[in-house]
Amino acid sequence: PDMSGDEAAALAVYAVPDLLAATRQTCAAQLSPDGFLAQRGDWLAQRYAAQQTAVWPQARAALFKVAGAKAGDQLKNFATLPDNAIRPLADALIQQEAATQIHPKSCRNIERMAAALAPLEPEQAGKIMAVMFDIATESQKLAARIQDHPSQP
């Protein structure tokens, strides 16, 4: 979806508590009880949760762009709902979608990323996560083009 860097960063910050919850749920068997998420995951989630209200307007715009790419016209009804109705739905959707996308082999890398970003302020970490998302998206597009048109010897 076509979103600004600020929207992507806001969405990243907004989503962290739900992403951490999904990671801890999905990766429980893969992560050490002495690891970063077990020891400091609640602290990290709380740091980002404290920023959610501030980033919500831009995160909301980004969420509707992401969801609009998937749901199309069905989303128009949700856009008219007040924020206090949308936010719990958004939180549940983020956590559910993340849980389905996390591969068990990725669990340790997700934990490493959380630990690496933890010392940064959420705003700065959000900007880094937005850039990483852009890089991953471009890599996926490139891989799809290569798969669709493999070079011939």
Side-chain angles (χ1 to χ4, degrees):
D2 187 24
M3 69 179 85
S4 72
D6 288 343
E7 288 171 336
L11 180 56
V13 170
Y14 184 86
V16 164
D18 296 315
L19 295 174
L20 290 174
T23 301
R24 291 168 85 181
Q25 174 188 344
T26 305
C27 298
Q30 283 79 28
L31 299 177
S32 166
D34 297 325
F36 178 82
L37 290 179
Q39 299 295 317
R40 310 237 14 232
D42 289 340
W43 166 81
L44 186 60
Q46 289 169 1
R47 282 187 68 207
Y48 281 80
Q51 302 298 315
Q52 284 181 313
T53 299
V55 300
W56 172 247
Q58 288 186 306
R60 182 185 191 276
L63 274 170
F64 274 98
K65 289 177 181 179
V66 170
K70 292 183 177 187
D73 290 340
Q74 299 170 4
L75 193 64
K76 289 180 183 176
N77 294 331
F78 286 100
T80 62
L81 293 173
D83 286 343
N84 64 347
I86 293 174
R87 283 185 65 174
L89 295 172
D91 293 344
L93 178 66
I94 291 167
Q95 190 168 341
Q96 179 183 359
E97 183 67 18
T100 64
Q101 297 296 319
I102 295 171
H103 190 280
K105 290 183 179 180
S106 300
C107 293
R108 292 194 196 287
N109 285 332
I110 294 169
E111 183 171 49
R112 288 176 52 221
M113 180 61 67
L117 293 175
L120 301 176
E121 289 299 318
E123 181 182 357
Q124 293 306 112
K127 290 178 182 179
I128 291 169
M129 288 184 278
V131 170
M132 291 170 43
F133 176 78
D134 287 345
I135 292 168
T137 300
E138 289 303 316
S139 295
Q140 289 173 344
K141 287 178 185 176
L142 178 60
R145 283 196 303 268
I146 291 170
Q147 186 175 7
D148 289 344
H149 306 288
S151 59
Q152 298 178 4

